[in-house]
Amino acid sequence: MTDSDGKPRQGSAAPDGDPAYADRVYRSVPGVISGVLLLAVAAWLIGDAVLNGSGKTPYVSLAAVPVFAFPVIAYTLRPAVLADSSRLVVRNPWRTITAPWAAVDTLRAGYSVELLAGGKKYQVWAVPVSLRQRKRATRAQQRDGAEHASRMGMVFGRQANPVVQGSPDPTRAWSDQVTTVLQEMAERNARRPDAAGPVEVAWCWWVIAPTLAGLVALITVIAV
């Protein structure tokens, strides 16, 4: 990001701790789509139960709203990875991990993407690993070679794998590309003066508190 003078603009902190101007943002598009669909179906079913249900059904349905809605939001819409020149922010379902680049030891993609920072390991929910994409990338490399696959970028009329900006090998699986780009950012920015500091972990109480309150309300309504 640049300012009006054409100079790089530093990512200032937003109220929730995320960079206000993140250079890169990664999230699972299928996860977001599935979350929206689940919430839409739940709204239709709960609305029907409230309007047409009898006895305790409307009350049970209303009490179940936060118990269902907030975990769905937490696991599908909330996860994201935000990176700027000074730090990496990983939004997981229940926690937010803020790691200055100097504190990042490594990022790796095995069966899941993991962040090793400050001597601890954190899962990166926003970047799920797809074994199908990895197999597809392997077939594309064996068939056409990485250079040809990058130039053509199409298999049966569609892109073989999503391409990540800045990835040195766009034929690889999306999660592997993201991991490589973030690892390169960590190595490049680790010595910046504003990239130092400890890893900070914050619980997402706006998700946790309503879920627990809704669970208590649901149990109360069923028991009464």
Side-chain angles (χ1 to χ4, degrees), residues 2 19 40 59 79 82 85 87 92 97-98 106 119 141 143 209 223:
T2 59
Y59 303 102
L82 304 94
S85 60
R87 60 179 176 167
N92 281 341
I97 300 96
T98 302
T106 189
Q141 291 172 353
R143 182 175 57 248

Side-chain angles (χ1 to χ4, degrees), residues 118-203:
K120 295 184 178 181
K121 180 173 66 175
Y122 306 95
Q123 300 294 322
V124 182
W125 282 78
V127 187
V129 170
S130 171
L131 298 180
R132 176 179 297 180
Q133 286 187 1
R134 283 181 176 172
K135 292 178 181 179
R136 186 186 302 159
T138 300
R139 290 196 300 267
Q141 291 172 353
Q142 291 175 345
R143 182 175 57 248
D144 301 319
E147 181 178 355
H148 178 70
S150 175
R151 183 173 63 253
M152 298 300 293
M154 301 291 290
V155 175
F156 298 114
R158 62 187 178 91
Q159 187 171 290
N161 278 328
V163 177
V164 176
Q165 180 182 1
S167 172
D169 185 1
T171 64
R172 299 178 68 193
W174 179 74
S175 58
D176 296 329
Q177 294 183 61
V178 171
T179 303
T180 299
V181 170
L182 293 176
Q183 180 64 36
E184 291 178 350
M185 291 184 69
E187 296 171 357
R188 185 171 62 252
N189 296 313
R191 296 185 179 181
R192 291 175 58 93
D194 58 349
V199 177
E200 298 179 359
V201 179
W203 290 95

Side-chain angles (χ1 to χ4, degrees), residues 44-67:
W44 175 64
L45 293 175
I46 292 174
D48 180 70
V50 171
L51 295 175
N52 301 318
S54 58
K56 294 195 299 185
T57 299
Y59 303 102
V60 172
S61 301
L62 288 175
V65 169
V67 179

Side-chain angles (χ1 to χ4, degrees), residues 104-124:
V104 174
D105 299 320
T106 189
L107 288 109
R108 62 192 184 192
Y111 290 104
S112 64
V113 175
E114 298 174 337
L115 165 66
L116 280 72
K120 295 184 178 181
K121 180 173 66 175
Y122 306 95
Q123 300 294 322
V124 182

